Amino acid sequence: MSHRTIFKFTSEPLVLSRRLIIWGLLIMVLLMVGCRQQDVLLEKEGDDTTPVPGDTIITGTIADASNLLPMLSTDSASTEVSSAIYNGLIRYNKDLEFEGDLAESWQVSDDGLEIVFHLRHDVRWHDGAPFTSADVLFTYQLLIDPETPTAYSERYKQVTEALAPDPYTFIVRYKKPLASALISWGMGIHPKHLLEGQEIATSPLARAPIGTGPYRFVEWLQGEKIVLERNEDYFEGAPYIKRIVFRIIPDLTTMFLELQSGGLDKMGLTPLQYARQTKAPGFVRRFNKYRYPAFSYTYLGYNLNKPMFQDRRVRQALSYAINKQELVDGVLLGLGQPANGPYKPGSWPNNAKIKPYPYDPAKAKTLLDEAGWSDHDGDGIRDKDGTPLAFTMITNQGNDQRIKSGEIIQRRFQEIGVDAKLRVIEWASLLKEFINPGNFDVTIMAWTVPIDPDAYNVWHSSKTGPNGLNFIGFKNDRVDELLEQGRSTFDQAERKKIYDEFQEILAEEQPYTFLFVPDSLPVVARRFHGIEEAPSGIMHNFIRWYVPEALQKYQR
Amino acid sequence: MVLYLAKRLVMMVPLLLGITLISFTVIHLAPGEPTDLQTDLNPDAGVELKERLRAQYGLDQPLAVQYGQWVKRLVQLDFGTSFSQDRRPVWDKIVERLPITVLINVLSIALILAVSIPIGILSATRRNSTFDRLTTLFVFIGFATPSFWLALLLMDYLGVYLGWFPISGIKSLGHEYLTGPQQIWDVIHHLMLPILVSAFGGLAGFSRYMRSNMLEVVQQDYILTARAKGLSEKIVIGKHALRNALLPLITLLGLSVPGLIGGSVIFESIFAIPGMGKLFYDGVMMRDYPLIMGILVIGAVLTLVGNLLADVGYALADPRIRNQS
């Protein structure tokens, strides 16, 4: 399973379980007497540890996929399904380091301008056709073709030349060295013999894909389920689990009920479900819970084009006024950690020496006083030259975590004499009317964190224009320099130095108040063995998961 | 009658055009475009991609031109292609979701009628009795109960705890391996909870309506006459009163025709049923204009046809109206 490295907003709505309220309210049901359903499947720890093929895993997904050609879809459901069907040339391993996928090996030239990939010889498409460098070249040409409606073309346009000198060699050359170029070749490679001369946008492969990956496509019932079965000829060895069924269940509460009744084997839990609803002995006996930091962080972003936020002391004061641990405890029920910067805690780009901003309202008040924001007119709100320190925080509808964070922050701001309002706006409107035109004071949003630390698109001053990702208008010459250097440096130790300094500047400047990093909370039925937690999560060795024969549940 | 029908049908055309024009304008007034979701906040997407997508979708044309093109296609019964990333014909997307939504709504209405008509009659004939009061209380509780709450409660108790019903979806995992009768039972078994829940809220309206119609009818002179003739209560109510009391239901049923294709997004999300409600909601969220317009047009046509059917049905059932027209 390859990781896509995309800066993308995480906008999945978080639905909190309503079960507690339900039970609290309905006493009359308790009068009904029912016979307890016997656990159909008594899960025992199988002592049989030799992996055997068989069984099906049923995974819950909140949304249906849209398009199973990797280059044409941006939604997470499609990506999850297509990553089991396709391979890229390289991928991140469990420790988030590069490893070959369809490429056996690769070399980057000393000047960083050329990458040579040596491809595997033993790969076949699911229809039996051999995989060669022609497929890679074809995929590249599709990606840069103006007729292809792909959202991934930008990094491939940096390529000056792409060559396939023989069936198992693929060479790309760049104008400028680009460190994140390497992982752009983690994009799923598309089959030339099936797509050539076709209009890709309307290709039947979007709905019935043929790839090189560990699983082949079986069927897709719209809005209901997608079924894959193992590829017996997979070049890394056939997976043990025979089938994957993605069941589409748009409601997280329903999904959790399905899980409890045995209709699902795997899902991502909400913090509430994880913390409060998985303690029953029956649940513990049948499921394993996992927990590790997610690849995302939630932040408060200040619009630096607004005069009140141009003074660094004001931004620092606001950071001191927020109790991040309180947010983690209240919003995530402790299942997360305070964030101090734009990288995942514990990953190599993260600068562990950054001093966190502790909750210190006294210091916040001092800083605001220094900056000239005091309560001159005695109305309880700080002001300066007749302007009150009042602003509106905006966030998107449907994301409870952000809305609750906003409410808690609002109160903390009030305590230091800052009047913050909270507005919740539908996603498309939020982007179109407020974020893109820079028409906002403060926003609460989240970024997914790519594994490659290149943060050029979010923090470089050239990206401050309309529709740029640096919509808060952060401009810092030193940061620009660092981001340019970091992009074109391949050596990890060198890069670390560069990005460490970049994080120091962000910590000092506080253009964002980094709020928290939530945890990923997957749960998997206990009959699945071979699961191994790693920095990348639990899916990295999915083809090596297995169910001991005695515990197998589905025969077909 | 034929002339009347023809007149009504011709009148529908401008009405339909007006409806589509307003719908088209309103959805384009909403901020955001289908292209935004693919290109906004995505560093891998270039600016020219957005322009290209807009050109591909025809969004770079003036609104009037876009509307004109859409109408031109509609006249040829072409609903266009969805703007979502699957780029499938709108018609296909609607057709694959329609059967399940219609099935659930028809069954749910049938259940509502089967329960609420007797309740209404009994409540009316035994006005202010304990039964009347209890059913009144019961249907209002039903009316006030949020359907998502009831659904989750029943799923948890009947599905997880007792294991009597499947929790969500419309088919079991191994559905394709079952025999014919087993398959039918499988679907019925899956549909029981959703239909129960969706009917529960509708009972109140229909049963109260039935009750008040009945009350009105039993006070009429001809019922007094029937009773004076010495007919049994059963015949008085069942034959003379019921026929007239049922008449207004025709209008109600006519009004519920468009509702047959409109699912509910909350309900479908909770039961994981791939129906029209979710399709429409997702379409709106993605600003998938052709899909939204397609569903609205079908809904508008059904509303107008439903009204017409109700009027015609009424005329057929009631000679007084028939003779007027």
Side-chain angles (χ1 to χ4, degrees):
Chain A
M1 306 262 169
S2 63
H3 287 277
R4 291 282 178 78
T5 50
I6 314 159
F7 258 115
K8 236 183 1 189
F9 264 92
T10 43
S11 61
E12 306 89 71
L14 288 158
V15 188
L16 284 178
S17 159
R18 312 176 191 101
R19 254 178 92 193
L20 288 174
I21 310 164
I22 292 169
W23 287 115
L25 284 171
L26 209 90
I27 298 155
M28 67 185 215
V29 167
L30 298 177
L31 303 173
M32 295 164 67
V33 183
C35 46
R36 186 83 178 90
Q37 182 203 3
Q38 287 300 309
D39 277 340
V40 185
L41 201 79
L42 281 172
E43 306 271 1
K44 328 188 271 285
E45 278 301 333
D47 23 31
D48 186 2
T49 50
T50 34
V52 282
D55 214 348
T56 297
I57 188 164
I58 306 169
T59 296
T61 111
I62 199 113
D64 199 357
S66 63
N67 188 318
L68 294 178
L69 283 167
M71 69 170 70
L72 293 189
S73 63
T74 53
D75 57 298
S76 58
S78 303
T79 306
E80 189 183 2
V81 176
S82 64
S83 66
I85 299 172
Y86 290 91
N87 300 89
L89 296 183
I90 59 172
R91 66 183 171 211
Y92 286 114
N93 67 7
K94 62 177 186 178
D95 298 318
L96 305 178
E97 292 152 343
F98 287 125
E99 69 174 14
D101 196 355
L102 289 171
E104 265 169 359
S105 61
W106 66 92
Q107 291 107 22
V108 181
S109 64
D110 291 341
D111 58 6
L113 293 177
E114 182 184 273
I115 311 176
V116 180
F117 292 100
H118 302 285
L119 309 182
R120 298 181 68 121
H121 292 237
D122 56 350
V123 182
R124 291 189 171 273
W125 293 98
H126 294 159
D127 63 357
F131 156 83
T132 64
S133 59
D135 294 309
V136 187
L137 189 62
F138 173 75
T139 301
Y140 160 74
Q141 285 158 346
L142 265 185
L143 279 162
I144 56 164
D145 181 351
E147 289 305 305
T148 307
T150 176
Y152 300 106
S153 55
E154 226 28 33
R155 278 189 297 189
Y156 305 94
K157 286 185 183 152
Q158 315 291 329
V159 173
T160 50
E161 202 177 7
L163 312 157
D166 67 65
Y168 301 107
T169 311
F170 179 68
I171 303 172
V172 268
R173 301 204 176 99
Y174 290 85
K175 281 196 286 281
K176 287 191 302 217
L178 182 65
S180 61
L182 204 48
I183 196 52
S184 71
W185 297 102
M187 164 65 74
I189 301 299
H190 297 56
K192 178 180 179 178
H193 65 288
L194 296 171
L195 285 168
E196 199 172 27
Q198 287 201 18
E199 201 180 323
I200 186 164
T202 53
S203 162
L205 261 66
R207 317 200 48 72
I210 289 180
T212 50
Y215 284 85
R216 26 171 121 236
F217 173 83
V218 178
E219 67 168 343
W220 179 359
L221 294 174
Q222 284 298 304
E224 205 177 318
K225 64 177 181 184
I226 298 176
V227 182
L228 311 179
E229 71 180 353
R230 69 188 195 138
N231 173 7
E232 307 276 350
D233 309 324
Y234 187 51
F235 57 84
E236 292 181 309
Y240 292 122
I241 296 173
K242 202 168 146 192
R243 286 189 155 213
I244 308 178
V245 177
F246 296 90
R247 270 203 61 192
I248 296 125
I249 303 178
D251 183 273
L252 279 171
T253 311
T254 305
M255 207 189 276
F256 189 56
L257 291 172
E258 273 289 4
L259 182 88
Q260 288 173 300
S261 71
L264 279 184
D265 297 318
K266 177 176 169 284
M267 71 176 277
L269 295 174
T270 65
L272 190 74
Q273 288 164 347
Y274 186 99
R276 306 249 172 95
Q277 298 171 4
T278 52
K279 296 223 168 61
F283 191 92
V284 175
R285 198 171 60 241
R286 290 159 53 218
F287 293 100
N288 282 320
K289 291 191 292 183
Y290 300 88
R291 178 186 165 187
Y292 42 84
F295 283 89
S296 77
Y297 64 86
T298 300
Y299 64 88
L300 198 66
Y302 306 105
N303 186 345
L304 304 176
N305 299 318
K306 302 270 169 171
M308 70 174 67
F309 297 122
Q310 281 167 356
D311 188 333
R312 182 199 309 164
R313 289 169 298 185
V314 172
R315 303 192 302 263
Q316 290 175 336
L318 294 175
S319 290
Y320 280 120
I322 295 171
N323 185 344
K324 294 179 187 177
Q325 192 57 49
E326 168 186 62
L327 293 178
V328 170
D329 293 342
V331 177
L332 303 174
L333 302 175
L335 298 164
Q337 55 191 309
N340 299 313
Y343 297 118
K344 185 171 161 168
S347 65
W348 71 262
N350 185 55
N351 183 348
K353 295 195 193 73
I354 294 286
K355 262 209 335 277
Y357 276 69
Y359 172 57
D360 190 346
K363 188 151 189 177
K365 288 176 186 165
T366 315
L367 279 165
L368 287 175
D369 286 336
E370 278 174 25
W373 292 95
S374 302
D375 187 5
H376 299 95
D377 52 10
D379 64 351
I381 309 291
R382 291 167 181 270
D383 53 77
K384 183 179 178 180
D385 310 328
T387 317
L389 189 48
F391 51 81
T392 303
M393 305 186 282
I394 55 171
T395 190
N396 60 296
Q397 178 208 349
N399 191 317
D400 258 2
Q401 286 185 1
R402 290 175 207 171
I403 297 167
K404 283 187 178 133
S405 302
E407 288 163 351
I408 295 170
I409 289 168
Q410 196 174 15
R411 179 172 151 237
R412 291 295 176 202
F413 282 176
Q414 194 188 345
E415 287 172 355
I416 59 163
V418 175
D419 176 24
K421 292 189 177 52
L422 182 65
R423 256 189 92 180
V424 180
I425 300 155
E426 187 253 351
W427 184 247
S429 313
L430 179 83
L431 296 187
K432 184 94 182 168
E433 305 284 304
F434 299 91
I435 300 291
N436 289 342
N439 177 18
F440 67 98
D441 301 332
V442 179
T443 178
I444 305 174
M445 290 210 272
W447 286 115
T448 50
V449 181
I451 299 167
D452 188 277
D454 181 1
Y456 186 92
N457 285 303
V458 177
W459 295 103
H460 195 272
S461 62
S462 64
K463 299 289 177 181
T464 52
N467 297 340
L469 300 192
N470 188 348
F471 44 78
I472 59 164
F474 179 74
K475 297 190 181 84
N476 181 303
D477 293 345
R478 180 60 187 152
V479 164
D480 284 0
E481 257 172 60
L482 289 167
L483 291 173
E484 286 155 28
Q485 280 175 16
R487 281 194 116 173
S488 52
T489 308
F490 282 78
D491 181 77
Q492 190 163 309
E494 279 297 303
R495 283 186 98 188
K496 175 144 182 68
K497 273 193 217 134
I498 294 165
Y499 288 112
D500 276 356
E501 189 187 338
F502 158 64
Q503 289 165 81
E504 282 160 24
I505 298 172
L506 287 189
E508 179 62 24
E509 290 289 331
Q510 289 292 298
Y512 287 176
T513 295
F514 296 93
L515 298 174
F516 53 77
V517 177
D519 282 337
S520 283
L521 306 167
V523 58
V524 186
R526 203 177 269 270
R527 67 177 195 277
F528 293 94
H529 290 53
I531 303 176
E532 185 191 328
E533 266 189 276
S536 70
I538 56 171
M539 296 307 289
H540 58 91
N541 68 336
F542 180 76
I543 62 170
R544 296 286 159 259
W545 292 13
Y546 68 95
V547 181
E549 199 135 19
L551 301 179
Q552 290 193 3
K553 185 173 172 181
Y554 299 100
Q555 296 317 306
R556 279 182 285 259
Chain B
M1 189 75 187
V2 177
L3 190 69
Y4 166 77
L5 270 181
K7 215 158 58 181
R8 287 286 301 262
L9 283 170
V10 170
M11 279 299 294
M12 264 188 206
V13 176
L15 201 57
L16 203 58
L17 265 181
I19 293 173
T20 59
L21 186 60
I22 293 171
S23 311
F24 193 86
T25 315
V26 170
I27 58 173
H28 279 82
L29 281 176
E33 278 194 345
T35 53
D36 295 349
L37 287 160
Q38 293 179 53
T39 57
D40 275 2
L41 304 170
N42 175 357
D44 293 325
V47 180
E48 63 274 28
L49 167 72
K50 194 163 184 164
E51 290 314 308
R52 243 190 359 254
L53 281 174
R54 295 192 77 222
Q56 274 184 5
Y57 293 147
L59 294 168
D60 50 353
Q61 311 274 357
L63 268 192
V65 175
Q66 288 184 45
Y67 179 70
Q69 287 171 335
W70 181 81
V71 172
K72 206 162 87 188
R73 277 201 304 266
L74 186 70
V75 172
Q76 303 157 8
L77 288 183
D78 172 11
F79 284 83
T81 308
S82 164
F83 284 174
S84 78
Q85 292 177 352
D86 62 13
R87 293 186 175 67
R88 297 173 65 214
V90 167
W91 184 243
D92 292 3
K93 288 180 86 157
I94 294 177
V95 163
E96 82 192 355
R97 304 241 177 173
L98 211 49
I100 186 70
T101 304
V102 171
L103 177 68
I104 287 179
N105 285 323
V106 166
L107 290 175
S108 159
I109 287 181
L111 181 63
I112 289 175
L113 289 179
V115 176
S116 61
I117 292 178
I119 287 183
I121 295 170
L122 288 171
S123 297
T125 48
R126 305 184 186 159
R127 196 173 171 184
N128 296 333
S129 65
T130 317
F131 174 84
D132 183 24
R133 293 205 169 116
L134 273 179
T135 49
T136 303
L137 180 73
F138 175 73
V139 296
F140 276 101
I141 288 176
F143 190 63
T145 306
S147 63
F148 76 86
W149 180 78
L150 182 71
L152 287 171
L153 193 88
L154 293 177
M155 277 180 191
D156 197 13
Y157 190 71
L158 301 177
V160 177
Y161 187 73
L162 298 177
W164 291 353
F165 292 104
I167 289 168
S168 67
I170 40 177
K171 291 181 200 140
S172 299
L173 189 66
H175 182 84
E176 53 269 33
Y177 304 108
L178 300 172
T179 58
Q182 282 175 320
Q183 286 194 344
I184 293 169
W185 165 244
D186 187 41
V187 172
I188 292 172
H189 197 193
H190 275 85
L191 288 179
M192 281 179 185
L193 272 187
I195 286 166
L196 190 71
V197 171
S198 74
F200 197 64
L203 281 178
F206 266 92
S207 62
R208 299 306 288 173
Y209 198 74
M210 193 65 219
R211 177 178 179 269
S212 61
N213 281 343
M214 201 72 196
L215 282 175
E216 202 175 310
V217 170
V218 268
Q219 289 160 2
Q220 304 282 343
D221 291 347
Y222 67 88
I223 298 289
L224 196 63
T225 313
R227 286 195 175 128
K229 284 195 303 190
L231 292 174
S232 72
E233 190 64 6
K234 214 168 165 175
I235 296 203
V236 171
I237 296 294
K239 196 169 168 195
H240 294 263
L242 188 60
R243 284 177 64 172
N244 281 322
L246 281 176
L247 274 182
L249 280 186
I250 294 175
T251 316
L252 272 191
L253 282 177
L255 287 175
S256 60
V257 168
L260 293 180
I261 66 141
S264 134
V265 63
I266 295 176
F267 177 81
E268 285 170 15
S269 295
I270 284 192
F271 283 108
I273 291 169
M276 293 289 284
K278 188 90 176 81
L279 184 72
F280 187 67
Y281 177 83
D282 290 343
V284 171
M285 284 294 151
M286 305 272 297
R287 306 288 190 266
D288 188 346
Y289 302 142
L291 181 68
I292 301 172
M293 290 304 292
I295 296 177
L296 285 174
V297 165
I298 293 173
V301 168
L302 283 179
T303 309
L304 297 174
V305 168
N307 278 336
L308 182 59
L309 283 178
D311 290 350
V312 171
Y314 222 95
L316 292 177
D318 191 339
R320 287 169 302 184
I321 297 173
R322 197 160 53 222
N323 297 339
Q324 270 173 18
S325 61

